């Protein structure tokens, strides 16, 4: 399975999320109906830093053969991140019924499945 497109798309998604979380945390919280107090803003900015770091890792690994035993930590980290976030977003979307959460859950689920296929199959 060719992973260059997957790594570029995941790097772009994480980069956009990281920039939004780092530089517009109040707006992101307001969009999802949360009061932008000090603690949520700080946590979102810290998460933004993590997303930017993950985006750089994925961008750097875009030309590397990924799958099977090759670059397993990169595939595993991405798979577990996208899977856990998608499960969390699905749970929140069911509980709150918010359309932005449903869209986010769908996007993260697609990436979780894609990284799952990469992680548990042999590379082409």
């Amino acid at each position: 399975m060719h992973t260059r497109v997957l790594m570029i798309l995941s790097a772009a998604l994480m980069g956009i999320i990281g920039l939004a979380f780092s530089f517009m945390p109040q707006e992101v919280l307001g969009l999802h109906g949360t009061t932008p107090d000090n603690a949520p803003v700080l946590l979102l900015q810290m998460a933004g830093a993590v997303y930017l770091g993950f985006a750089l890792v994925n961008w750097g690994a875009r030309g590397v053969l990924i799958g099977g035993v090759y670059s397993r930590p990169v595939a595993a980290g991405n798979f577990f991140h996208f899977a856990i976030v998608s499960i969390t977003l699905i749970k929140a979307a069911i509980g709150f019924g918010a359309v932005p959460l449903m869209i986010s859950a769908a996007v993260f689920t697609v990436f979780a499945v894609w990284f799952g296929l990469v992680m548990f199959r042999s590379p082409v």
Side-chain angles (χ1 to χ4, degrees):
M1 178 176 292
H2 196 69
T3 57
R4 185 173 176 84
V5 173
L6 172 63
M7 298 309 289
I8 290 171
L9 290 175
S10 65
L13 175 68
M14 290 187 190
I16 291 167
I17 292 171
L19 288 172
F21 283 10
S22 295
F23 298 109
M24 301 184 310
Q26 291 90 353
E27 290 81 0
V28 171
L29 290 169
L31 178 69
H32 290 89
T34 303
T35 306
D37 293 333
N38 291 338
V41 168
L42 178 63
L43 289 172
L44 211 58
Q45 287 177 320
M46 291 186 329
V50 172
Y51 270 102
L52 287 172
F54 226 142
L56 289 174
V57 168
N58 285 352
W59 183 255
R62 70 188 182 280
V64 176
L65 182 63
I66 297 175
V69 295
Y70 302 104
S71 296
R72 192 164 200 57
V74 174
N78 277 289
F79 170 69
F80 285 109
H81 163 259
F82 281 109
I84 291 168
V85 171
S86 68
I87 290 167
T88 305
L89 287 172
I90 290 168
K91 181 181 171 187
I94 291 170
F96 297 116
V99 175
L101 290 175
M102 292 177 197
I103 294 169
S104 298
V107 170
F108 275 81
T109 301
V110 167
F111 276 103
V113 169
W114 200 353
F115 273 110
L117 290 172
V118 166
M119 186 170 151
F120 295 112
R121 286 189 174 171
S122 296
V124 175

